[in-house]
Amino acid sequence: MPFKLEELQKAHEAYRQFAEKNPPAHHARYIFPFFTGSYFAYRKVDVLRVVAVAKAVNDNPDYLDVGCGYGDFLKRVREYLPGASGVEKEGGIFYALGATKPDYIGIAPVESLSRPVDIAFVGWMEPGTDFRRQVAKTARCIITTFDAGGQCGINGGCEYDEFGFERIAWWRTPSWIDVNAELMNRYYTPSLSEEKKRHLASLRSAHNFWYVYAKPELADKIREALAYIAKKEDAKKEERYDFESVLDECGFGYKEELATVTTAKRLWEVILD
Ligand SMILES: C[S@@+](CC[C@H](N)C(=O)[O-])C[C@H]1O[C@@H](n2cnc3c(N)ncnc32)[C@H](O)[C@@H]1O
């Protein structure tokens, strides 16, 4: 994500010009994720899982989205947890675009927060950004998404075991980059033959992981809640957002098996630890 506000404005201008050309529905979400989506490509089932975990921790959970940007995912969570809030370090992302900052997003670095929360959600940090120590001090349960390519400091992983947390479950989904690559091959590279497109599609992968961590005393309750919701969600066709059509079309279907990966081969399959 461009942090210099001038670059942000330039990127937003590119987004505006793209949108003016009436591209197919929801493509912008995966081409300009910061402005109109999120860096992790979620489905409604992800929101429902996160909400189920939060409610397992506390009936009326104090939920904080750390580094929430414009709050795309947070907005969805608030449909179920109206008190959920976010913290974002860069207030300039709002004023540089003349955008209204919602009241439920506070502008501050997470390092400056001292109030404890039940749940911290950390969605896809820039490589090298690593505030795990602070998040671990603040929350009882942490849900994090990160790119398998390496984030959180020099060693890449975004684990919380070393801070006294237990991993409860995990699942694999695509990152915006995975979806973006498929869209580029299918729609925005006219020189590619159909055969080449099919070949490239067979190589598609998904690099975003969701990890659920909690303090050991909460582990059983959360594990139970996740196991329950994961089983129940299977047949629920109405649990979808309209933009999920792009994920389906690009070969990132719910429970689709990928040939290119060796662990968690079925997308969105919850693996309990
Ligand atoms: C890659 S963006 C991800 C935004 C959103 N979570 C998503 O996945 O689409 C990372 C965001 O975290 C914010 N951020 C980085 N360090 C932070 C910190 N120490 N405290 C709060 N926010 C931070 C950045 O300003 C940026 O908006």
Side-chain angles (χ1 to χ4, degrees):
M1 197 220 43
F3 263 129
K4 287 200 179 120
L5 295 182
E6 211 175 285
E7 284 172 31
L8 186 80
Q9 281 163 329
K10 262 195 223 152
H12 192 262
E13 178 56 20
Y15 160 57
R16 209 188 52 72
Q17 287 177 12
F18 176 79
E20 256 176 18
K21 290 186 194 141
N22 287 324
H26 314 301
H27 280 199
R29 187 175 182 85
Y30 303 101
I31 296 173
F32 297 94
F34 193 61
F35 297 127
T36 181
S38 58
Y39 280 66
F40 48 97
Y42 63 88
R43 290 176 177 272
K44 191 166 184 176
V45 293
D46 296 301
V47 172
L48 296 176
R49 288 174 188 179
V50 167
V51 170
V53 168
K55 290 207 159 161
V57 176
N58 188 335
D59 269 351
N60 184 17
D62 193 346
Y63 175 105
L64 182 71
D65 187 326
V66 179
C68 61
Y70 293 102
D72 177 81
F73 187 75
L74 175 60
K75 198 170 65 194
R76 303 286 180 176
V77 168
R78 281 177 53 85
E79 287 167 23
Y80 302 91
L81 305 175
S85 61
V87 63
E88 166 54 51
K89 183 172 77 163
E90 297 286 342
I93 66 172
F94 292 96
Y95 70 72
L97 306 185
T100 307
K101 181 189 76 61
D103 289 348
Y104 54 81
I105 298 181
I107 300 302
V110 66
E111 293 83 349
S112 69
L113 299 190
S114 54
R115 80 182 164 98
V117 297
D118 294 310
I119 303 277
F121 177 81
V122 185
W124 222 91
M125 283 306 116
E126 292 277 294
T129 303
D130 187 2
F131 39 56
R132 282 175 297 161
R133 186 169 298 281
Q134 172 64 26
V135 172
K137 261 199 273 172
T138 313
R140 302 204 286 153
C141 173
I142 299 161
I143 304 178
T144 182
T145 80
F146 62 96
D147 192 292
Q151 284 169 304
C152 295
I154 44 170
N155 294 325
C158 289
E159 288 83 5
Y160 284 84
D161 313 66
E162 69 190 272
F163 303 105
F165 283 74
E166 198 177 299
R167 196 178 71 178
I168 316 284
W170 59 290
W171 60 95
R172 181 193 292 270
T173 62
S175 74
W176 77 277
I177 298 169
D178 299 315
V179 184
N180 181 286
E182 292 308 308
L183 285 179
M184 289 302 144
N185 293 342
R186 280 160 205 253
Y187 287 89
Y188 301 94
T189 319
S191 55
L192 282 182
S193 67
E194 286 308 313
E195 193 190 345
K196 185 79 182 160
K197 281 185 193 171
R198 270 196 300 278
H199 174 64
L200 288 175
S202 75
L203 302 178
R204 75 192 178 287
S205 192
H207 295 91
N208 190 66
F209 289 121
W210 297 61
Y211 280 8
V212 178
Y213 283 98
K215 288 287 168 82
E217 64 274 17
L218 293 168
D220 287 346
K221 226 175 153 196
I222 295 174
R223 196 173 281 115
E224 227 172 80
L226 259 176
Y228 176 76
I229 196 158
K231 193 164 173 210
K232 194 166 78 91
E233 81 194 8
D234 272 357
K236 289 228 169 172
K237 292 216 164 56
E238 75 273 21
E239 286 177 351
R240 285 174 63 82
Y241 294 128
D242 49 4
F243 56 76
E244 293 180 28
S245 56
V246 175
L247 302 175
D248 295 336
E249 186 196 349
C250 287
F252 298 114
Y254 173 74
K255 300 279 175 82
E256 182 137 5
E257 190 166 313
L258 295 184
T260 50
V261 300
T262 51
T263 58
K265 286 169 87 74
R266 293 177 81 204
L267 294 172
W268 277 279
E269 180 168 28
V270 174
I271 301 170
L272 294 169
D273 287 306

